[in-house]
Amino acid sequence: MFNIINFNEQELKKWMKENGEQAFRSKQVLNWIYKGVTSFNEMKNISAKTQENLAKNFYIGTPEIVRKLVSDIDGTIKYLMKLHDGNIIECVLMKYKHGNSICISSQVGCRMGCKFCASTIGGRVRDLDSGEMLGQIIAVSRDINERISNVVMMGSGEPLDNYNNVIKFLEEVGKEYGLNIGARHITLSTCGIVPEILELGEKGLQITLAISLHASNDEIRRKSMPIANKYSIEEVIEACKSYIHKTNRRVTFEYALIEGLNDEEIHAVELSELLKGMLCHVNLIPVNEVKESGYKKPNKKRIERFKSILEKNNIETTVRREMGADINAACGQLRRDYMNE
């Protein structure tokens, strides 16, 4: 049995031809899938014979929502989802004036080991396939009965550690017969896997690349991010410059501010020097406090001081607004709590 959401139109056409079905039906079937049907017999313009043939060979792999938390503060919704094999993932819906944005997972767990992130506790179980990533969006859109217009790949997992499946997801999420979410409405976040950043740049996709930098020098970065032992900040920055050159897209640098580790004025100055002249934006993130790490967020005065130094050096900077604070909306927290029950 195959998850039909893993098939694009050409792949499903090929299957149709090989199994005695009319190839043009593939687009109709996929259109129903992306509308959120949960069984093949809901496909009204597909014959009973074809429905039966599909049901013998495929399942519709949208994940099952097993827990749903809604923030009383801002309406953010955190979903805990069960995959076809019983593995648990999570995603988050954020409501903005400009539309609905979803933060999806790309792996079950994560092996990158970043100390400030709950999703890495317990390591990586497996990669998600493209259909499982698409399925998160389909399931949430069906749940809220509204269109989702923006996607952020910042949930559990490192997207570039699951490169091929993520590329297929990016190719499919924009298809008109499907979710029709344009590349410029998608942000992919990575801790900085240099070869894949370079390869992504060669593809010329118009997505927004976000780099989890979180330090102004290698010594600090190695304390919280094991990936820094493989790729230096200089290598990451050079890969980003190549990405900008190939795509003409601005890169976002995510910087989790951690009290006493990377929030001093000297760190803001160092970061300014690193990013001087780049087509970029810095998103300062007061760190989510995960008890296993012991990290704490700086006070508001220190955050604003850090921001002002970057801005004085002509680096566009924002402080991320915390969303879903009352529902453990940080990556991995809900899954971790569920697994510990």
Side-chain angles (χ1 to χ4, degrees):
M1 295 282 281
F2 301 100
N3 179 4
I4 197 167
I5 313 177
N6 278 327
F7 281 59
N8 61 30
E9 186 186 3
Q10 292 305 313
E11 290 166 341
L12 193 55
K13 272 184 178 179
K14 182 175 183 290
W15 185 91
M16 291 281 194
K17 289 177 182 177
E18 291 173 351
N19 289 271
E21 301 290 348
Q22 295 170 303
F24 77 90
R25 295 289 184 196
S26 61
K27 184 178 285 190
Q28 294 175 327
V29 169
L30 289 171
N31 189 248
W32 281 111
I33 297 295
Y34 286 104
K35 283 180 178 177
V37 301
T38 56
S39 66
F40 294 105
N41 59 20
E42 295 177 65
M43 299 178 178
K44 305 302 182 187
N45 59 347
I46 305 298
S47 71
K49 176 181 171 293
T50 300
Q51 290 175 12
E52 183 180 354
N53 199 6
L54 289 169
K56 285 179 180 177
N57 292 277
F58 297 101
Y59 64 93
I60 300 172
T62 48
E64 173 193 355
I65 297 170
V66 296
R67 188 168 293 175
K68 176 180 170 181
L69 300 178
V70 183
S71 171
D72 292 328
I73 298 172
D74 51 35
T76 296
I77 306 174
K78 185 148 193 181
Y79 292 90
L80 199 65
M81 296 181 169
K82 183 182 289 186
L83 301 173
H84 187 68
D85 62 358
N87 271 304
I88 300 294
I89 58 169
E90 56 188 60
C91 63
V92 181
L93 178 79
M94 297 156 288
K95 292 176 174 285
Y96 298 101
K97 290 180 181 178
H98 61 264
N100 294 317
S101 181
I102 189 171
C103 179
I104 66 167
S105 293
S106 57
Q107 295 176 313
V108 181
C110 182
R111 63 177 172 181
M112 294 296 106
C114 302
K115 292 183 180 178
F116 45 78
C117 181
S119 66
T120 197
I121 298 169
R124 168 188 164 277
V125 178
R126 69 169 177 85
D127 293 336
L128 298 188
D129 56 39
S130 62
E132 289 169 326
M133 287 180 260
L134 293 163
Q136 294 171 63
I137 305 172
I138 296 168
V140 172
S141 183
R142 182 173 63 216
D143 182 65
I144 64 173
N145 197 28
E146 293 178 24
R147 184 176 186 270
I148 292 171
S149 56
N150 295 272
V151 178
V152 183
M153 304 192 78
M154 289 186 186
S156 296
E158 162 56 57
L160 295 188
D161 189 38
N162 184 18
Y163 185 80
N164 291 333
N165 286 322
V166 165
I167 292 300
K168 187 171 184 180
F169 163 82
L170 293 173
E171 291 170 348
E172 287 304 298
V173 73
K175 294 293 176 62
E176 289 185 10
Y177 61 71
L179 295 168
N180 198 23
I181 300 173
R184 294 193 174 209
H185 295 273
I186 299 170
T187 298
L188 183 152
S189 177
T190 175
C191 65
I193 304 179
V194 168
E196 277 69 26
I197 293 173
L198 294 171
E199 192 170 340
L200 191 64
E202 292 294 332
K203 289 190 171 294
L205 300 175
Q206 291 297 289
I207 63 171
T208 296
L209 179 66
I211 303 294
S212 294
L213 195 63
H214 307 317
S216 58
N217 61 60
D218 287 317
E219 182 182 358
I220 293 174
R221 200 165 194 253
R222 283 193 290 266
K223 290 179 181 178
S224 60
M225 300 182 70
I227 193 71
N229 293 304
K230 189 166 186 178
Y231 304 113
S232 68
I233 284 183
E234 182 180 357
E235 289 174 298
V236 173
I237 296 298
E238 287 305 310
C240 289
K241 288 178 179 178
S242 173
Y243 181 88
I244 293 166
H245 176 72
K246 298 286 185 181
T247 65
N248 200 31
R249 295 286 289 162
R250 183 179 73 167
V251 168
T252 294
F253 290 97
E254 306 279 352
Y255 194 102
L257 283 165
I258 303 168
E259 184 182 72
L261 180 67
N262 65 357
D263 63 336
E264 303 285 348
E265 291 184 14
I266 184 61
H267 302 139
V269 173
E270 285 180 344
L271 185 60
S272 300
E273 286 297 313
L274 273 176
L275 306 183
K276 185 187 296 183
M278 288 182 68
L279 180 63
C280 70
H281 162 255
V282 172
N283 189 21
L284 297 176
I285 308 166
V287 70
N288 288 300
E289 296 183 8
V290 178
K291 64 181 180 181
E292 286 85 352
S293 72
Y295 290 154
K296 296 185 182 300
K297 65 182 68 175
N299 62 42
K300 188 173 181 179
K301 184 178 179 181
R302 290 176 75 89
I303 294 169
E304 287 301 319
R305 177 60 179 155
F306 200 100
K307 178 174 181 283
S308 70
I309 292 171
L310 293 174
E311 289 176 332
K312 284 177 183 176
N313 284 280
N314 299 313
I315 296 171
E316 185 178 333
T317 307
T318 54
V319 177
R320 186 165 76 181
R321 178 165 66 94
E322 188 174 30
M323 299 190 72
D326 55 331
I327 58 169
N328 273 351
C331 292
Q333 288 184 342
L334 183 59
R335 175 177 177 267
R336 180 195 60 185
D337 293 345
Y338 180 87
M339 300 297 283
N340 288 337
E341 288 178 358

